[in-house]
Amino acid sequence: MRPDLLVIGAGLAGLSAALRATQAGLRVRIIAKGLGTLHWSTGNLDLLGYLPGAPHPVRKPMEAIYTLPESHPYARLGPERIGHCLSWWQKALGAAGLAYRPATPARSNWLLPSPAGAVRPTYLATEAQAGGDLSQAEPMLIVGFQGMRDFYPHLIAENLTRQGYAARAATLSLAVITRRQDSNTLHLAQELERPGRVQELAAALRPLVRPGERVGLPAILGLERHQAIWQGLATALDAPVFEIPTLPPSVPGIRLHRALTRHLEAQGVQIQVGLTAIGFQADRGRILAVETESSARPWRHQAEGFLLATGGILGGGFNSDPQGRFWEVVFNLPLTVPQDRNAWFRPHFLAPEGHPVFRGGLAVDGCFRPVDGHGTPLYQNLWAAGNLLAHVDAIQERSVEGLAVITGMAAAEALLA
Amino acid sequence: MHSISWHSVDHSLDECIKCNICTSYCPVSAVTDRFPGPKYVGPQAQRFRSPHQPHSPDDSVDYCSGCRVCNEVCPTGVKIAEINARARAQIVAERGLPLRNRLLGRNELLGKLGSLAPAAANLALHNPLSRLLAEKTLGIARHAPLPTWSTRGTFGDWLRRTAHRRLRSEKKVVYFHGCATMYYEPFIGQAAVAVLEHQGYEVIVPPQNCCGLPLLSNGEFPAAERYHQGNVARLAGFARAGLPIVGTSTSCTLTLKEEAPELLDREDEGTAALRQATWDIFEWLRALHEQGELRTDFQPIPSSGASLVLPYHAPCQLRAHRVGKPALEILALIPGLDLRESHARCCGIAGTYGYKTEKYQIAMDVGQELFDFVQAQGEAVPYSACDSETCRWQLEHGTGLPSRHPIEVLAAAYGLYDLEQRRLVREAQS
Ligand SMILES: Cc1cc2nc3c(=O)[nH]c(=O)nc-3n(C[C@H](O)[C@H](O)[C@H](O)COP(=O)(O)OP(=O)(O)OC[C@H]3O[C@@H](n4cnc5c(N)ncnc54)[C@H](O)[C@@H]3O)c2cc1C
Ligand code: SF4
Ligand code: SF4
Ligand code: SF4
């Protein structure tokens, strides 16, 4: 029953680390307080979209890594190691049933439309989103649904047009997809899986599409049968169809979450959600067990090694108090965040350099072990990965998934060594 | 009016980041327009509820089944199901409660009454005419899987009849049986006693009350409070003496540990002692196993094939304990048992939810995911398994296949219990 590795956190970092460690033969168990932020991710893999302070998206992220400060987790790993992690991950996801596509030319970023009609750089795109490639000239017809929240085709088309991309908008009734009064994106994706719905949608779309146009839809084209629905729709319309990610819940992110968790469970990995880690036991520099909160008494989880992937302030891995103190919640590890509230933010809300508080986090050594102020590892069998790491502002950089996947895998490789 | 305290949920409300993960997983809002989902009726509507507010802002919260899937997936730990339970209690406090809910909340009383003449009671309850009548007059769905009273005597009768055979030992454990075992399914208690004695423990079964959960989930807090105080008076002494109190009904043990103390805002020493001492029986057996003290002298369970295929569903009440799936871990030790874990969210019944006419179909639609899973395991599957009694009845109703408690399976693996006849082997012989 006792696993070799206990991963704390079921976000992209924890799941990717578990994937790598399981492949190498370790018995892995994952515990998490709730589901990770994949449910609001685009489902693509963003590697590095913007450099701090730079107004334009990064076109060649592997080259841009050389310009990052040397404390940045990417700079410490280097492009070669990163490339290796990404191709490993892409292959593993392919085996789990999700195909990802790199942009052309090689090692460059895709530029894809966001749900606000902005241009969004990403590195590995899902097949259905890759069709929105803004370097292609085909005009776009962006279609939304009357009554669907948070997806406004006219806004998207207008913003794209303003930036020089040919796009126009159309709206269909939501009744084409669902008979329900109120639905979120996930429910809509499930409704589209009902027999005949795709044909009904195609019939409603057909009169709208002009020859030579590609059709952009909100990312609701099926959950389990996504591939068949997406391709079926394109065939029925005889036009390319692509998805634009939506606000949460994000169906492409949920597809990625499902593919990863099923793949892991099929290999015997136990994933237990609803468990909040609240404490630990250690002896002479080794973690012995992590405790989770339960209905009556803490539950102890013993393991040989522990990997912390609880995310930063958004994932729930950090906490703070009104005075400005910041701490890591499970092991009470020191953080590099300024421990004074006044130093958290710059005066301008949208400061292009970002805010110091978001660069703060957990400092680790070259093997991804959390360290003290002198750079000495605090525990021999504790590793950390993902969005809780210091020296990176992943949301500003558009590197959220890349950071999770790459550091998750690299930490797993370090602990295997 | 009994004023509802929001004490333990108020803070959790502010943790909501509006991510909608809960709404994506709620099994009820997935199948009906009558329920807009956890985020809306929970943390969102909660902004408009307060003890000074004359009317509740939102009735649809009554369609929350209390399954707690939302709590489990919420990334920030918002206590959504508890917010909903309190909101329902507030509606009850404002408007009173239909007779139907009063009846369904009184499992213990119904159990006692029916047990006076179980055969007649079963006949009276389970004929189509009275079910139709109950639907028309009370709103209890006519096809819903109501239990049958035990015609082989209550669990208490069995305990008295077999008192001379109880194992005496230095090592002692207290057993909390709950109403369902007492009046409807005494064989679950027999299997539990047999398994505990097999580990060398003396089993104490003190007088006890209904845990009060049916009352809590129907929003009748004052009545639940009386039950709870009764249990504290009768059981806290054992807890103080350091004895573990184990139960086979996941909802009863959850109520003793957490639901009653939190929903009723009880922080007294007796409640705390009882809470700390209470275990789900498999949670306790797992702890025993971790200390290397669980007996593993298993025998293959008789089955038609090479191995016994057993689809297992962890009930939501167990998930709410936040102790993982201990029954699955223990049953995995049994050779020749091919366990298949269900990932379905809920069987739908949610205590007494699916008994109500307006909710029966919702409960069946919610359960479909689970029924499909069980049926997909093949023709030769003889049983499904689940720790919770109402879920087992729903599973049987939805799949047409008998369902067993994991403790029955474990007792059978020790050679103590006949899984088909649902009786102890040595009693079948005598
Ligand atoms: C509303 C919202 C919108 C966002 N939109 C965007 C966007 O458009 N673009 C973008 O790039 N980023 C966005 N982000 C941020 C991004 O999603 C996250 O920063 C990133 O996914 C973090 O990945 P991770 O794997 O490191 O951690 P997470 O995915 O956060 O996973 C953390 C895991 O750890 C678990 N956990 C935490 N504490 C404990 C504990 N004590 N015990 C056990 N388990 C624990 C959590 O339950 C979770 O499973 C958004 C965030 C939010 C909140
Ligand atoms: S899952 Fe939790 S944080 Fe997200 S909307 Fe629901 S209650 Fe709020
Ligand atoms: S407890 Fe269950 S039914 Fe109620 S809101 Fe949560 S997930 Fe939905
Ligand atoms: S009915 Fe069963 S499966 Fe559903 S809420 Fe209850 S315990 Fe859960």
Side-chain angles (χ1 to χ4, degrees):
Chain A
M1 286 195 214
R2 178 176 167 151
D4 299 315
L5 178 66
L6 184 78
V7 175
I8 309 156
L12 192 53
L15 296 174
S16 301
L19 196 63
R20 184 69 190 83
T22 306
Q23 247 258 329
L26 294 197
R27 281 172 307 161
V28 180
R29 180 180 294 182
I30 303 175
I31 59 170
K33 178 166 145 189
L35 295 176
T37 43
L38 276 174
H39 285 63
W40 53 74
S41 121
T42 61
N44 297 324
L45 187 138
D46 292 1
L47 177 60
L48 181 62
Y50 284 89
L51 289 169
H56 298 294
V58 170
R59 297 310 299 260
K60 295 267 181 193
M62 288 295 191
E63 288 163 25
I65 285 168
Y66 290 109
T67 69
L68 291 170
E70 59 187 51
S71 58
H72 192 290
Y74 283 175
R76 294 172 70 174
L77 287 167
E80 198 172 319
R81 197 74 203 282
I82 290 175
H84 151 82
C85 285
L86 291 178
S87 52
W88 192 95
W89 191 81
Q90 194 185 342
K91 212 177 290 160
L93 261 289
L98 274 191
Y100 278 89
R101 284 181 52 194
T104 37
R107 295 159 81 88
S108 67
N109 268 332
W110 294 97
L111 295 179
L112 301 178
S114 87
V119 176
R120 204 175 183 288
T122 191
Y123 194 68
L124 293 177
T126 68
E127 286 192 295
Q129 288 184 55
D133 183 6
L134 291 172
S135 68
Q136 304 295 314
E138 288 105 321
M140 292 170 275
L141 171 65
I142 313 290
V143 181
F145 298 90
Q146 193 72 47
M148 180 180 165
R149 285 185 296 263
D150 302 334
F151 192 88
Y152 304 104
H154 290 90
L155 171 87
I156 299 172
E158 203 173 297
N159 275 340
L160 287 173
T161 309
R162 203 173 292 164
Q163 295 167 89
Y165 304 105
R168 62 186 189 95
T171 308
L172 288 176
S173 160
L174 204 49
V176 178
I177 303 178
T178 182
R179 318 288 184 259
R180 298 273 308 262
Q181 290 163 16
D182 185 39
S183 307
N184 68 28
T185 42
L186 179 61
H187 297 152
L188 292 174
Q190 285 165 326
E191 287 282 300
L192 273 177
E193 302 204 328
R194 290 177 186 261
R197 289 287 156 86
V198 178
Q199 274 59 44
E200 289 172 39
L201 177 58
L205 279 169
R206 207 169 287 123
L208 303 176
V209 187
R210 294 177 192 155
E213 270 184 335
R214 45 182 167 159
V215 182
L217 288 161
I220 54 170
L221 299 179
L223 188 66
E224 301 294 332
R225 297 183 44 243
H226 164 60
Q227 197 73 15
I229 288 171
W230 168 56
Q231 282 167 349
L233 190 60
T235 310
L237 284 178
D238 197 20
V241 171
F242 65 94
E243 286 191 321
I244 299 174
T246 65
L247 269 72
S250 168
V251 175
I254 297 173
R255 288 181 203 134
L256 173 55
H257 176 258
R258 291 200 174 198
L260 274 169
T261 50
R262 287 207 186 135
H263 192 62
L264 285 166
E265 280 171 345
Q267 295 175 62
V269 177
Q270 269 190 27
I271 305 176
Q272 292 182 321
V273 182
L275 301 179
T276 307
I278 48 166
F280 67 105
Q281 281 147 8
D283 184 37
R284 274 164 290 167
R286 281 187 76 78
I287 307 284
L288 303 176
V290 162
E291 291 182 343
T292 55
E293 175 268 358
S294 95
S295 47
R297 62 194 73 81
W299 178 23
R300 290 180 76 218
H301 305 258
Q302 296 176 328
E304 295 302 319
F306 298 83
L307 193 143
L308 186 69
T310 47
I313 192 81
L314 290 177
F318 301 163
N319 208 346
S320 70
D321 64 20
Q323 284 66 48
R325 205 174 71 83
F326 244 96
W327 67 95
E328 185 282 317
V329 296
V330 182
F331 300 99
N332 198 18
L333 300 167
L335 298 177
T336 64
V337 180
Q339 303 283 318
D340 163 20
R341 224 183 140 84
N342 296 320
W344 285 3
F345 301 106
R346 289 181 210 281
H348 298 289
F349 177 60
L350 294 175
E353 315 81 13
H355 298 284
V357 66
F358 299 131
R359 286 198 173 269
L362 200 60
V364 291
D365 69 3
C367 299
F368 291 88
R369 287 176 302 186
V371 292
D372 63 16
H374 306 290
T376 314
L378 289 155
Y379 300 100
Q380 296 146 35
N381 61 341
L382 176 65
W383 292 266
N387 210 47
L388 48 57
L389 296 179
H391 312 302
V392 45
D393 180 349
I395 292 183
Q396 196 215 25
E397 281 177 7
R398 304 294 195 284
S399 64
V400 173
E401 295 86 8
L403 183 75
V405 166
I406 290 159
T407 60
M409 280 187 56
E413 286 174 359
L415 71 87
L416 287 165
Chain B
M1 184 176 122
H2 183 78
S3 85
I4 304 306
S5 151
W6 296 101
H7 171 70
S8 69
V9 296
D10 265 352
H11 181 66
S12 124
L13 170 68
D14 291 335
E15 308 269 317
C16 175
I17 53 169
K18 312 294 175 216
C19 69
N20 258 317
I21 290 181
C22 53
T23 310
S24 305
Y25 282 79
C26 171
V28 173
S29 70
V31 300
T32 176
D33 273 337
R34 293 177 181 232
F35 188 57
K39 177 178 132 181
Y40 303 98
V41 304
Q44 222 131 284
Q46 187 60 22
R47 298 264 173 234
F48 301 95
R49 299 185 189 114
S50 87
H52 317 293
Q53 177 84 17
H55 299 294
S56 168
D58 162 47
D59 287 358
S60 63
V61 69
D62 189 44
Y63 279 88
C64 164
S65 76
C67 72
R68 300 231 206 179
V69 168
C70 50
N71 284 28
E72 184 171 282
V73 297
C74 172
T76 67
V78 179
K79 294 182 175 181
I80 313 161
E82 287 83 346
I83 293 176
N84 295 353
R86 278 158 200 262
R88 183 166 25 234
Q90 192 179 20
I91 295 179
V92 169
E94 272 169 36
R95 301 182 203 164
L97 193 69
L99 173 65
R100 186 247 340 247
N101 296 31
R102 275 186 203 283
L103 275 177
L104 291 177
R106 282 172 176 69
N107 206 358
E108 185 178 21
L109 184 67
L110 292 178
K112 271 188 194 150
L113 288 176
S115 295
L116 295 176
N122 285 333
L123 194 68
L125 181 68
H126 289 278
N127 74 72
L129 186 66
S130 54
R131 291 301 300 266
L132 183 67
L133 222 79
E135 175 164 305
K136 295 287 173 231
T137 57
L138 290 168
I140 296 176
R142 93 180 92 144
H143 299 298
L146 291 182
T148 48
W149 283 277
S150 165
T151 48
R152 291 190 242 154
T154 66
F155 180 57
D157 296 339
W158 177 81
L159 280 175
R160 274 187 295 278
R161 204 171 61 234
T162 59
H164 59 285
R165 284 202 235 136
R166 285 289 78 72
L167 182 77
R168 302 280 162 234
S169 164
E170 287 292 292
K171 298 191 287 183
K172 295 181 204 310
V173 58
V174 174
Y175 176 51
F176 190 91
H177 47 71
C179 309
T181 295
M182 190 64 176
Y183 302 109
Y184 308 122
E185 304 188 323
F187 38 84
I188 306 277
Q190 294 163 14
V193 170
V195 167
L196 294 170
E197 289 187 343
H198 191 65
Q199 313 301 328
Y201 278 77
E202 178 174 337
V203 183
I204 303 170
V205 189
Q208 50 193 262
N209 272 125
C210 168
C211 64
L213 178 70
L215 293 168
L216 288 171
S217 57
N218 281 297
E220 273 193 88
F221 282 20
E225 173 126 29
R226 285 193 293 278
Y227 275 166
H228 181 67
Q229 278 170 349
N231 278 325
V232 170
R234 290 169 155 157
L235 301 172
F238 294 103
R240 290 189 199 102
L243 267 62
I245 300 170
V246 304
T248 38
S249 166
T250 45
S251 51
C252 301
T253 44
L254 182 71
T255 308
L256 297 180
K257 283 173 168 190
E258 188 163 52
E259 297 260 297
E262 290 210 344
L263 289 173
L264 303 170
D265 273 331
R266 294 207 59 94
E267 287 167 356
D268 55 290
E269 182 274 333
T271 296
L274 181 54
R275 172 179 198 161
Q276 307 274 312
T278 302
W279 301 73
D280 167 69
I281 193 163
F282 277 94
E283 180 192 11
W284 188 76
L285 291 171
R286 179 178 62 192
L288 212 59
H289 182 57
E290 279 167 3
Q291 292 153 25
E293 289 171 17
L294 184 83
R295 285 182 62 171
T296 50
D297 50 339
F298 296 120
Q299 312 168 10
I301 303 173
S303 69
S304 53
S307 60
L308 177 68
V309 177
L310 187 68
Y312 169 77
H313 174 68
C316 312
Q317 298 291 358
L318 177 67
R319 284 188 270 168
H321 281 259
R322 310 184 294 285
V323 297
K325 296 180 177 176
L328 204 63
E329 289 182 50
I330 297 298
L331 295 188
L333 304 171
I334 300 172
L337 186 64
D338 182 358
L339 278 174
R340 310 269 173 90
E341 181 185 356
S342 139
H343 289 285
R345 288 170 285 185
C346 180
C347 71
I349 196 80
T352 59
Y353 183 87
Y355 292 161
K356 298 167 187 168
T357 309
E358 74 279 15
K359 290 167 185 134
Y360 171 78
Q361 194 52 47
I362 297 176
M364 292 303 286
D365 290 346
V366 165
Q368 199 57 48
E369 198 182 346
L370 177 59
F371 309 151
D372 289 346
F373 163 78
V374 171
Q375 274 151 357
Q377 304 312 310
E379 290 286 306
V381 174
Y383 318 105
S384 64
C386 179
D387 312 65
S388 156
E389 52 277 354
T390 46
C391 305
R392 282 195 302 277
W393 303 332
Q394 171 82 342
L395 259 166
E396 295 183 339
H397 179 53
T399 63
L401 202 68
S403 190
R404 295 292 182 259
H405 190 295
I407 200 73
E408 296 178 90
V409 180
L410 186 61
Y414 284 129
L416 303 169
Y417 189 79
D418 181 335
L419 204 50
E420 187 53 40
Q421 298 298 319
R422 304 189 102 170
R423 53 169 84 222
L424 293 174
V425 168
R426 78 169 170 192
E427 295 193 1
Q429 287 159 354
S430 63

